[in-house]
């Protein structure tokens, strides 16, 4: 395919926003419309290019596609190694898709420094896409860390009143995890070199690093903490409500929609396949934390008085589902988990967009300040309803496919986890519909809400693609599944195979030890 | 012909899309909207009839062997392969006929009832969506698509209960309905997981043909979990609490969704899964017991309520209990029979309620009614026919279906004397509270506001014609299932027989075993003829019971209207408990709602903020203090650094020495 196109499509998709950002540097500051238009154009073009990735991606091939590999720092074994399988493909599409909507949603919400804002977003896009493509651990780490800076600026400069606190917390918390991961990356690198005499950061080479079980467990823990903070899993979640509340709307959309997925993706691509034995050992730990996240996130979400905080805690709950399914290690669980990543991006992204829209009108996000909006803003109400239903996984919407598969997959590996996780369908309905009722239904009690204008055409344009996605993904999931079927199958076979190998080796060792002990006796 | 089954749900879907998508922007006029909505249902009804005819043309055995109509693959992952596909068999087509038929008439009625409402278009798009979802529920060929319909009708119920969302009560009631239903759906979901993990498929044909592979514990668990879903959707103990509140919705909605169709979904589901239930005697006993208890419990609350629609709501819960009693004792076709007749007369009763509300400016308190038959004769007569039907007066549809249930509760191998007794007493209660309602609303003297009386009027034909049609069905609907004992052929039973097999109807011997000894000896002496005599005897008993209930209502509410008040004063505690619906809403509120909220607040304030986040900030603070300490060393003065170097050197020297 790549040879057919003759261009390194993956790099183009990744770096196009960076080039756009560089060009924007030269734009005259006063021409705000021009800047917005340009940024929108760049993200749109990137989206179209990523569609080309989707179209030319061969779903009959399980391995990495669109691979680009150039040695970078030869003596250390670092290379520019990019490639995608079905899993990363879908996440890239999610990124480019949400970026377009984010830029659209920033049209009137951002009043100062629009140029720097757009530059930050474009840089962020390059970082995010790069993270999903990098197959060299150093390259991955660079992209991973690179996303921190623009996000830090987006929260810290264009955020709400406590933006500096939130931005610093976001940065330092994630950074603390990343540092652990960096140490672990180096450890794997040296272990691999010691065993094979070959220095390389190539992910697939490192997959087969021989190491002691204790080393596996420790290194997995280091990676897991880094990713768990990003996801965020209970109890590492407290940066998320702060960051969301302070971030501008588009920042929240990207934060929830894509940045959190970097954490879950990290588990699938790095933490689990690098250390399959430790990952299997960690199933009870991760599953229990995920379940706590599902129930706890929902209960806390129910009592929030700030809309954004409510959505933020609901994210903790939804991401709990993602982690639960991933650690079920069944096809349905893992596919549901990946699908749920996309769903959460679409639905929660949309929830943030919707909250941003009322915020722009009322400059408050307190639930108590609203009530009866459905009469004043009927079009808004329809969109809000659809998105809320997708978020509580009503059959026919995208959310159902993900949640159903996750719970089904989990049930097959551990019914107790699935039963507890399935209570999430009740909690979700409770907090979402109660919020919806308090905001949208009832009489209009506040005179300020009487004169609110309904959605503008631009806002409708932002939301229509989301509604289309919600139903498309809910009714024709096969369209997306067939791109990742083989990748997931291969991933599971690989991880399980290597886990069983370790187990067999352990058994053999134990057997030898036992028979030796017997002989000595 | 049966190949066109997918058109049945298609038309309401199109109606929904047309009215829902372009209704708002094109400002469609009401005539257009109502034509779209009603003709969608009309076409859907027409195709149901065509498919039904197609089915009748086939020999009975092959009616259950029609290949599923698969439209496209839905969720496919690993070994899981689910499709959007429809199933035609006698059971699904009976359901489709009832759903589309009753829906069609209620759509027409709604055109009149909702005419002045600003949400006219929204109303009809929801109503079409509801029918679409309901048809998916009853026509699905697999559990997952059934679940789509299952949750989908729940959504429409939520939207339509909360249709007048600007008032708090409907908004609350809608949310309550959705959340309570979700509790049931939780069980349904787990049931599906268990089925799939044991059998590897979710299609009905696949599951039922492999059902023998299941061990008894698993199959009991599966059926109980599925039944949990049914208690939510069909408002049975302990999840019935949402249905009385659901009366906040527009009255045609109460008629269609909360009486005739949606709430019967649980009964249909149990009947559809009869293969599984028959393997699990314990689950059958649970279903029958829950059904019987709910029937009586709900009827007891209906005895003293004064809200027109709420009496009907409790009555619905009670009648649904009868249907579960039927399927729980293995009389599946009797349950579906009652489902159908109930759809006619209960749908009609609600339409009558709507007509009364229409006439009395929304009044619902039956203490402020009376003598309405003078003002609205059509409403009165149709209402009376429906009341006779539900009371089980011989000759009306409810008589045949209720009697079949009672007989089966008594005689079937899974039946029990107590189950019959509960059903029998409830039959008397039903006759009583229904006639109490009928007498208080339509007979006696008018007790309300004079001004309202002055404006009271009969409803327009667009509303009365559907009522008359349903009244006709309420009377004659039972004749498709006249039992053999009365010289009938019970066509209904025979039509469904290929689905349910030949397990039922042959329980006479078991009945003898259940009888008290003295009777048994007598009956057994007469042999097979005796059991027929017994069946007749029981039929007479229940008729006597019905008339006793009617007479009591007549005595209390027409002849001596002062007596009920005296009774209520004579037994104040019992009256209060019944009037306040056993305080169950309050208990649930305290036990579940409030405690969840309290827990949420505690987790948020006292754990998330006070423990988890404080720990994070504490770590940051410690770092800051440490950093602050270290910063003291970085003074920027060369002398200090020199001092440091010397101190270091001294320490090293000391070590070396």
């Amino acid at each position: 395919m790549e040879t057919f196109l003759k261009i390194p499509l993956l790099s183009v998709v990744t770096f196009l926003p960076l080039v756009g950002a560089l060009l924007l540097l030269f734009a005259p500051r006063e021409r705000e419309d021009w800047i917005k238009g340009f940024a929108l154009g760049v993200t749109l073009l990137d989206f179209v290019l990523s569609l080309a990735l989707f179209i030319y991606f061969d779903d009959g091939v399980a391995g990495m596609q669109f691979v680009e590999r150039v040695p970078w720092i030869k003596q250390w074994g670092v290379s520019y190694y990019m490639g995608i399988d079905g899993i990363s493909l879908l996440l890239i599409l999610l990124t480019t898709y949400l970026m377009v909507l984010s830029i659209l949603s920033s049209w009137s919400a951002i009043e100062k420094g629009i140029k720097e804002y757009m530059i930050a977003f474009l840089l962020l896009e390059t970082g995010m896409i790069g993270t999903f493509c990098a197959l060299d651990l150093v390259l991955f780490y660079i992209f991973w860390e690179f996303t921190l800076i623009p996000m830090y600026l987006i929260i810290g400069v264009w955020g709400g009143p406590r933006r500096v606190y939130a931005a610093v917390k976001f940065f330092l918390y994630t950074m603390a995890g990343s540092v652990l991961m960096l140490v672990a990356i180096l450890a794997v690198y040296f272990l691999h070199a010691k065993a094979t005499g070959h220095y390389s950061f190539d992910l697939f080479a490192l997959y087969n690093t021989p190491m002691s079980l204790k080393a596996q467990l420790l290194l997995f823990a280091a990676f897991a903490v880094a990713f768990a903070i990003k996801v965020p899993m209970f109890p590492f979640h407290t940066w998320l409500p702060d960051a969301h509340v302070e971030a501008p709307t588009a920042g929240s959309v990207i934060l929830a929609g894509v940045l959190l997925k970097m954490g879950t993706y990290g588990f699938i691509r790095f933490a689990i396949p690098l250390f399959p034995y430790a990952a299997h050992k960690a199933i009870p730990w991760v599953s229990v934390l995920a379940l706590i996240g599902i129930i706890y996130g929902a209960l806390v979400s129910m009592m929030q008085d700030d809309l954004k905080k409510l959505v933020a805690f609901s994210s903790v709950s939804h991401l709990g589902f993602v982690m639960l399914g991933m650690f079920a290690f069944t096809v349905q669980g893992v596919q549901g988990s990946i699908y749920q990543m996309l769903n959460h991006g679409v639905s929660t992204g949309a929830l943030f967009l919707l909250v941003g829209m009322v915020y722009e009108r009322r400059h408050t996000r307190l639930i108590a300040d609203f009530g009866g909006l459905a009469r004043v803003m009927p079009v808004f109400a329809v969109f809000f309803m659809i998105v809320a239903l997708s978020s509580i996984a009503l059959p026919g919407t995208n959310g159902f496919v993900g949640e159903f598969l996750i719970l089904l997959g989990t049930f097959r590996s551990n019914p107790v986890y699935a039963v507890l996780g399935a209570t999430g369908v009740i909690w979700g309905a409770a907090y979402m519909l109660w919020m919806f009722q308090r905001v949208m239904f009832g009489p209009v009690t506040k005179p300020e809400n009487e004169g609110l204008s309904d959605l503008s055409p631009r806002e409708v344009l932002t939301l229509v693609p989301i509604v289309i996605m919600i139903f498309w993904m809910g009714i024709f999931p096969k369209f997306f599944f067939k791109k990742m079927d083989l990748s997931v199958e291969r991933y599971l076979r690989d991880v399980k195979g290597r886990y069983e190998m370790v187990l067999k080796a352990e058994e053999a060792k134990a057997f030898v030890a036992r028979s030796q002990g017997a002989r000595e006796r | 012909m049966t190949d066109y089954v997918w058109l049945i749900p298609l038309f309401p879907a199109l109606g929904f899309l047309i009215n829902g998508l372009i209704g708002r922007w094109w400002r469609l006029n009401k005539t257009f909207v109502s034509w779209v909505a009603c003709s969608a249902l009309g076409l859907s009804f027409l195709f149901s009839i065509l498919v039904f005819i197609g089915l009748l043309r086939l020999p009975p055995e092959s009616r259950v062997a029609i290949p599923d109509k698969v439209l496209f693959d839905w969720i496919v992952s690993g070994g899981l392969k689910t499709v959007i596909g429809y199933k035609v068999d006698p059971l699904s087509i009976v359901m489709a006929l009832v759903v589309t038929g009753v829906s069609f008439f209620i759509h027409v009625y709604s055109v009149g009832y909702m005419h002045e409402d600003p949400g006219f278009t929204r109303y009809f798009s929801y109503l079409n969506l509801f029918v679409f979802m309901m048809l998916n529920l009853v026509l699905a060929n697999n559990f997952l698509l059934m679940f789509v319909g299952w949750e989908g009708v729940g959504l429409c119920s939520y939207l339509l209960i909360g249709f007048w969302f600007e008032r708090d009560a409907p908004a609350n009631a809608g949310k309550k309905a959705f959340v309570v239903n979700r509790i049931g759906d939780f069980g349904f979901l787990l049931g599906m997981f268990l089925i799939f993990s044991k059998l590897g498929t979710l299609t009905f044909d696949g599951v039922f043909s492999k059902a023998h592979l299941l061990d008894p514990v698993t199959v009991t668990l599966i059926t109980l979990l599925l039944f949990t879903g049914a208690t939510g959707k069909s408002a049975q103990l302990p999840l019935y609490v949402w249905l009385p509140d659901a009366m906040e919705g527009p009255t045609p909605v109460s008629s269609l969704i909360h009486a005739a169709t949606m709430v019967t979904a649980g009964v249909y589901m149990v009947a559809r899964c009869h293969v599984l239930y028959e393997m699990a005697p314990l689950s059958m006993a649970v279903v029958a017991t829950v059904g019987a208890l709910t029937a009586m419990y709900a009827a007891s609350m209906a005895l003293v309520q004064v809200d027109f629609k709420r009496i009907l709501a409790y009555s619905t819960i009670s009648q649904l209990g009868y249907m579960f009693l039927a399927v729980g004792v293995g009389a599946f076709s009797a349950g579906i029979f009652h489902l159908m007749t109930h759809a006619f007369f209960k749908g009609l009763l609600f339409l009558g309620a709507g007509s009364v509300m229409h006439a009395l400016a929304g009044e619902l308190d039956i203490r402020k009614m009376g003598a309405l038959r003078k003002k609205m004769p059509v409403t009165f007569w149709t209402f009376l026919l429906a009341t006779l039907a539900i009371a089980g007066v011989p000759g009306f549809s409810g008589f045949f279906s209720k009697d079949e249930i009672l007989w089966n509760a008594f005689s079937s191998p899974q039946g029990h004397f107590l189950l019959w007794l509960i059903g029998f007493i409830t039959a008397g209660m039903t006759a009583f509270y229904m006639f109490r309602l009928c007498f208080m609303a339509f007979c006696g003297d008018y007790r309300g506001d004079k001004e309202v009386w002055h404006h009271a009027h009969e409803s327009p034909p667009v509303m009365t014609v559907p009522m008359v049609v349903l009244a006709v069905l309420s009377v004659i609907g039972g004749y498709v299932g006249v039992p053999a004992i009365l010289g009938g052929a019970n066509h209904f039973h025979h039509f469904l027989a290929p689905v349910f097999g030949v397990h039922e109807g042959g329980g006479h011997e078991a009945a003898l075993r259940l009888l008290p000894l003295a009777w048994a000896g007598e009956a057994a002496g007469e042999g097979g003829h005796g059991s027929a005599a017994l069946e007749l005897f029981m039929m007479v008993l229940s008729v006597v019971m019905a008339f006793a209930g009617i007479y009591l209502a007549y005595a209390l509410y027409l002849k001596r209207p002062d007596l009920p008040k005296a009774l209520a004063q004579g037994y104040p505690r019992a009256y209060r408990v019944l009037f306040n619906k056993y305080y169950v809403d309050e208990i649930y509120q305290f036990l579940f709602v409030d405690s969840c909220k309290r827990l949420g607040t505690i987790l948020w304030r006292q754990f998330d903020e006070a423990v988890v986040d404080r720990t994070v900030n504490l770590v940051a603070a410690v770092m800051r203090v440490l950093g602050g300490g270290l910063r003291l060393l970085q003074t920027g003065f060369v002398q200090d650094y020199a001092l440091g170097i010397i101190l270091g050197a001294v320490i090293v020297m000391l070590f070396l020495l």
Side-chain angles (χ1 to χ4, degrees), chain A residues 67-83:
Chain A
V67 175
E68 296 165 29
R69 193 167 195 177
V70 187
W72 186 10
I73 312 174
K74 250 190 192 142
Q75 56 274 43
W76 296 346
V78 180
S79 56
Y80 176 79
Y81 183 15
M82 307 266 278

Side-chain angles (χ1 to χ4, degrees), chain A residues 169 237 296 335 437 442 474, chain B residues 73-74 77 165 172 175 608 613:
Chain A
K169 193 171 182 177
H237 64 277
Y296 175 92
Q335 289 205 317
Q437 182 192 352
Chain B
D73 284 349
W74 187 29
S77 169
F165 57 81
N172 271 325
K175 180 190 61 189
D608 205 65
D613 200 33

Side-chain angles (χ1 to χ4, degrees), chain A residues 165 169 235 237-238 296 304 313 332 335 374-375 392 395 407-408 425 433-434 437 441-443 474-475 478, chain B residues 73-74 77 80 144 151 155 158 165-166 172 175 178 182 186 193 197 600-601 604 607-608 612-613 616-617:
Chain A
Y165 169 76
K169 193 171 182 177
H237 64 277
T238 55
Y296 175 92
Q304 296 304 311
F313 275 106
Q332 288 92 11
Q335 289 205 317
R375 183 174 64 76
I392 62 176
L407 291 171
L408 181 69
V425 304
L433 294 185
W434 192 34
Q437 182 192 352
F441 293 160
I475 299 172
K478 215 183 159 190
Chain B
D73 284 349
W74 187 29
S77 169
L80 174 77
L144 203 59
E151 287 244 302
L155 166 72
Y158 164 78
F165 57 81
E166 287 174 54
N172 271 325
K175 180 190 61 189
F178 198 99
R182 271 266 162 139
F186 163 75
F193 295 157
S197 64
T601 312
W604 174 30
F607 186 69
D608 205 65
V612 185
D613 200 33
V616 174
N617 285 336

Side-chain angles (χ1 to χ4, degrees), chain B residues 336-609:
Chain B
I336 299 295
F337 187 27
H338 196 58
L339 186 160
M340 181 181 82
T341 58
H342 177 258
F344 299 149
F345 58 69
K346 186 56 67 63
L348 173 56
L349 288 170
F350 271 109
L351 295 189
S355 183
V356 169
M357 285 172 75
H358 199 249
L360 300 184
E363 183 60 64
L364 275 171
D365 190 335
I366 56 171
R367 288 170 303 190
K368 295 181 186 159
M369 296 180 188
L372 287 176
R373 77 191 145 92
K374 291 175 198 155
K375 286 277 189 177
M376 31 201 336
V378 181
T379 305
F380 167 67
W381 283 107
T382 54
F383 196 89
L384 183 66
L385 291 176
T387 309
L388 289 167
I390 191 175
V393 172
F396 294 86
S397 62
F399 165 74
F400 298 110
S401 54
K402 190 182 284 184
D403 198 70
E404 199 178 338
I405 291 175
L406 286 178
W407 170 243
N408 276 294
F410 181 77
S411 68
S412 118
Q414 291 103 326
H416 194 277
F417 176 68
L418 281 177
L419 290 176
W420 171 82
L421 188 66
I422 295 175
F424 174 66
I425 296 173
T426 308
M429 291 159 82
T430 309
F432 171 75
Y433 69 69
M434 281 312 300
F435 271 90
R436 166 180 178 262
L437 171 63
C438 190
F439 291 148
M440 280 185 81
F442 294 99
C443 305
D445 298 321
Y446 181 70
R447 299 173 295 274
D449 189 45
K450 283 280 164 285
E451 188 64 22
V452 176
W453 175 254
H454 188 68
H455 290 290
H457 56 88
E458 181 58 280
S459 300
V462 66
M463 288 165 71
T464 50
V465 169
M467 288 162 69
V468 171
V469 172
L470 283 178
V472 171
L473 288 172
S474 300
V475 178
I476 65 164
Y479 289 93
V480 296
V482 178
I485 191 99
L486 294 180
N490 208 341
H491 296 294
F492 192 81
H493 182 89
H494 291 303
F495 182 62
L496 288 179
V499 181
F500 297 128
V502 285
H503 313 285
E504 26 174 334
H508 291 151
E509 281 158 44
L512 298 181
R513 263 184 279 121
L514 286 162
L515 272 182
L517 275 178
W519 286 12
E522 200 179 316
E526 291 176 41
H529 185 68
S531 66
L534 183 66
E535 189 175 347
L536 266 182
F537 171 67
M538 315 256 325
M539 196 178 273
V540 172
L541 262 189
S542 60
V543 170
V544 169
M545 193 64 173
F547 279 110
I550 296 171
Y551 178 75
L552 193 63
Y554 169 75
L556 285 179
Y557 291 94
L558 282 187
K559 270 176 88 181
R560 295 281 309 276
D562 51 313
L563 259 184
K565 201 167 273 176
L567 265 177
Q569 275 158 2
Y571 302 94
R573 197 166 299 163
Y575 178 78
R576 252 204 320 275
V577 168
L578 282 184
F579 190 76
N580 289 307
K581 303 159 276 182
Y582 299 95
Y583 298 98
V584 169
D585 276 325
E586 287 75 8
I587 294 169
Y588 280 10
Q589 176 78 23
F590 174 77
L591 274 185
F592 304 116
V593 182
D594 290 347
S595 55
C596 276
K597 285 184 183 172
R598 219 170 302 130
L599 181 64
T601 312
I602 291 172
L603 283 180
W604 174 30
R605 293 292 188 196
Q606 265 136 59
F607 186 69
D608 205 65
E609 288 190 345

Side-chain angles (χ1 to χ4, degrees), chain A residues 51-65:
Chain A
L51 283 183
L53 281 181
F54 188 82
I55 293 164
Y56 288 111
F57 185 88
D58 184 354
D59 51 36
V61 175
M64 291 291 161
Q65 301 185 31

